[in-house]
Amino acid sequence: MSRSPSVSTETVLIASTIGVLTILGLYWYQRKRKNAVPTKWEPVGKVKNLFIYPLKSGHRIELETAICTEYGIKMPKSGPSYQFRDRSFLVYKEDDNEFRTARQYTNMIFIKIAPHPTKEDHFTLDAPRMPTLTVRIPSLKTTPQGEITFHKGEKIFTLDCGDKAAKWISNYILGSNSGLRLGFHDTDHRRNICNSHKKYLGVYPRFRNQSIGMYTDFTSYLVINQASVDDLNNRIPETNITALNFRPNILVEGENATPYSEDNWNWVKIGDAILYLAKPCTRCVFTTIDPETGIKSESNEPIKTLKKYRMLKDVKNIELDGSLPVMGNNMGLEKGGVVSVGDVVYVGRN
Ligand SMILES: *[C@@H]1O[C@H](CO)[C@@H](O)[C@H](O)[C@H]1NC(C)=O
Ligand SMILES: *[C@@H]1O[C@H](CO)[C@@H](O)[C@H](O)[C@H]1NC(C)=O
């Protein structure tokens, strides 16, 4: 009788140890399973549009077919356009090499960089009321390696596109002969997660060095669900919000792609390409610039309305990102492949 309390203490100890280990094991298993590439795929819709933005903050080019690479969407044609990838050009300040976007100069959204139709290794620069400029794509053979300063002081590789491009860009954006320059990323120089983004690693388990693209803010892909944009637009009667406000690479539409179901699209398969959700995309003032007119919304839409119902909910995420609303998925590439408008979009279930 006198021993029974100590026996039961032992039993309790053993039982609770087994319990704790089981819970830890299950947690580990769930986490591993959630982060593994799924084997089951369900169709949710189709690719409605594909967009590439060769210049960060610049004009989109709509594609029928694109190649999904680790560094984002690439144009499919052979020849010089093989270099044309999403966000591979960027504007930076001449005096301190700091990057510039449409957050500072809204007229940047009309600058169109495209492959030259005939000249190998050249691209064209176009913008309203500006002459077309043909520029050679810089390479390490012709141009010394440079470095631009990005968000939060991150340093990223760049190759300057030369004086003529700098003058053209400064003329168009500033109305001056100098001040800004144009940089290009050749993808040969890997960009790794910078110090200020390391804090995301524990919270977003699939986020990794290979997720981040070239001059993209967070990841090499932005996937948007048309139904979510339609739902948002219905909440803002006075303004016409379209998916273009959010500058997606892949726009998905379909019966089973219900509004905000993309929050659970941890894995997406289109053709052979497989993308993983790295992080929900938090949205800034850029989305309030009308993609057709370049005019900033006076009522701060769609951010004002998004803030009413699409705020980050998880405390951990809020600590990382601040109090910001979400629209779309920042995705990384698991497996490359060709994607086309009309392709079925599958979501993986683990
Ligand atoms: C990213 O790459 C750098 C440089 O190779 C490495 O030190 C770092 O551990 C990598 N980070 C992750 C999360 O894999
Ligand atoms: C809203 O934008 C879409 C796409 O540009 C256009 O087709 C439609 O006519 C616009 N609607 C209004 C009310 O302006």
Side-chain angles (χ1 to χ4, degrees):
M1 282 296 125
S2 64
R3 279 180 59 87
S4 70
S6 84
V7 168
S8 79
T9 309
E10 259 172 44
T11 314
V12 166
L13 213 80
I14 291 167
S16 46
T17 308
I18 291 171
V20 167
L21 286 178
T22 310
I23 288 165
L24 282 177
L26 276 175
Y27 174 77
W28 175 83
Y29 175 72
Q30 287 291 355
R31 198 179 151 104
K32 196 175 148 79
R33 207 176 64 152
K34 220 175 133 196
N35 294 322
V37 182
T39 47
K40 281 184 233 136
W41 299 93
E42 289 168 14
V44 292
K46 289 188 171 168
V47 175
K48 187 182 182 203
N49 295 110
L50 293 168
F51 299 108
I52 182 172
Y53 306 80
L55 173 67
K56 185 178 184 66
S57 282
H59 206 268
R60 65 190 174 273
I61 300 177
E62 204 172 327
L63 301 174
E64 278 299 309
T65 292
I67 300 166
C68 291
T69 74
E70 181 186 326
Y71 297 103
I73 269 186
K74 191 167 98 160
M75 286 177 77
K77 288 197 211 107
S78 56
S81 63
Y82 78 95
Q83 302 237 35
F84 277 76
R85 294 168 191 258
D86 194 52
R87 274 87 171 190
S88 53
F89 291 87
L90 126 163
V91 169
Y92 66 98
K93 267 166 74 196
E94 186 171 16
D95 55 359
D96 60 6
N97 287 13
E98 205 193 340
F99 82 122
R100 282 289 171 262
T101 70
R103 292 176 194 96
Q104 292 94 25
Y105 309 117
T106 53
N107 66 352
M108 278 181 69
I109 70 164
F110 299 116
I111 301 175
K112 198 164 197 167
I113 289 187
H116 192 277
T118 54
K119 276 186 171 173
E120 282 274 327
D121 295 336
H122 283 68
F123 65 91
T124 55
L125 267 171
D126 271 298
R129 294 173 300 281
M130 290 293 288
T132 301
L133 187 73
T134 298
V135 185
R136 180 187 292 278
I137 298 172
S139 76
L140 274 177
K141 289 184 202 122
T142 57
T143 310
Q145 174 170 341
E147 201 173 61
I148 58 99
T149 306
F150 205 55
H151 291 291
K152 308 217 164 129
E154 180 183 2
K155 305 285 183 195
I156 312 181
F157 172 90
T158 206
L159 293 168
D160 186 75
C161 294
D163 291 343
K164 274 199 288 184
K167 189 174 170 192
W168 190 101
I169 285 281
S170 303
N171 256 315
Y172 171 68
I173 298 177
L174 305 173
S176 145
N177 278 335
S178 62
L180 297 171
R181 299 196 70 87
L182 185 65
F184 171 71
H185 199 306
D186 65 0
T187 73
D188 283 343
H189 298 77
R190 156 165 292 292
R191 178 181 166 208
N192 289 313
I193 292 172
C194 64
N195 282 333
S196 65
H197 277 172
K198 285 206 172 116
K199 60 184 181 179
Y200 291 95
L201 285 168
V203 176
Y204 298 109
R206 284 180 295 269
F207 179 51
R208 49 187 191 249
N209 278 336
Q210 288 80 358
S211 313
I212 60 178
M214 285 175 290
Y215 298 134
T216 36
D217 279 354
F218 210 90
T219 59
S220 30
Y221 291 86
L222 178 66
V223 176
I224 293 273
N225 180 2
Q226 181 65 49
S228 306
V229 177
D230 291 344
D231 177 83
L232 170 65
N233 191 38
N234 290 339
R235 293 166 190 255
I236 314 172
E238 67 276 16
T239 318
N240 194 7
I241 303 297
T242 70
L244 295 176
N245 284 70
F246 300 98
R247 302 173 65 83
N249 298 114
I250 301 174
L251 182 61
V252 179
E253 184 175 57
E255 231 169 74
N256 294 322
T258 52
Y260 314 109
S261 56
E262 71 275 20
D263 290 352
N264 298 314
W265 295 355
N266 287 327
W267 296 91
V268 167
K269 185 157 87 82
I270 309 168
D272 289 331
I274 298 178
L275 305 175
Y276 57 88
L277 176 62
K279 183 181 170 295
C281 185
T282 49
R283 308 312 310 223
C284 72
V285 63
F286 198 163
T287 60
T288 68
I289 301 169
D290 185 305
E292 306 302 338
T293 64
I295 296 169
K296 209 163 155 294
S297 159
E298 275 177 21
S299 48
N300 199 33
E301 293 292 9
I303 290 290
K304 189 175 136 198
T305 298
L306 267 184
K307 278 190 167 176
K308 289 184 191 153
Y309 74 107
R310 286 288 295 166
M311 297 301 284
L312 285 171
K313 286 198 191 81
D314 196 319
V315 175
K316 280 188 309 228
N317 304 359
I318 295 168
E319 273 171 14
L320 289 180
D321 272 326
S323 223
L324 291 172
V326 171
M327 177 61 92
N329 288 353
N330 276 140
M331 304 194 84
L333 184 99
E334 177 71 27
K335 184 167 175 283
V338 178
V339 301
S340 297
V341 170
D343 281 357
V344 176
V345 177
Y346 297 88
V347 167
R349 302 272 174 233
N350 274 330

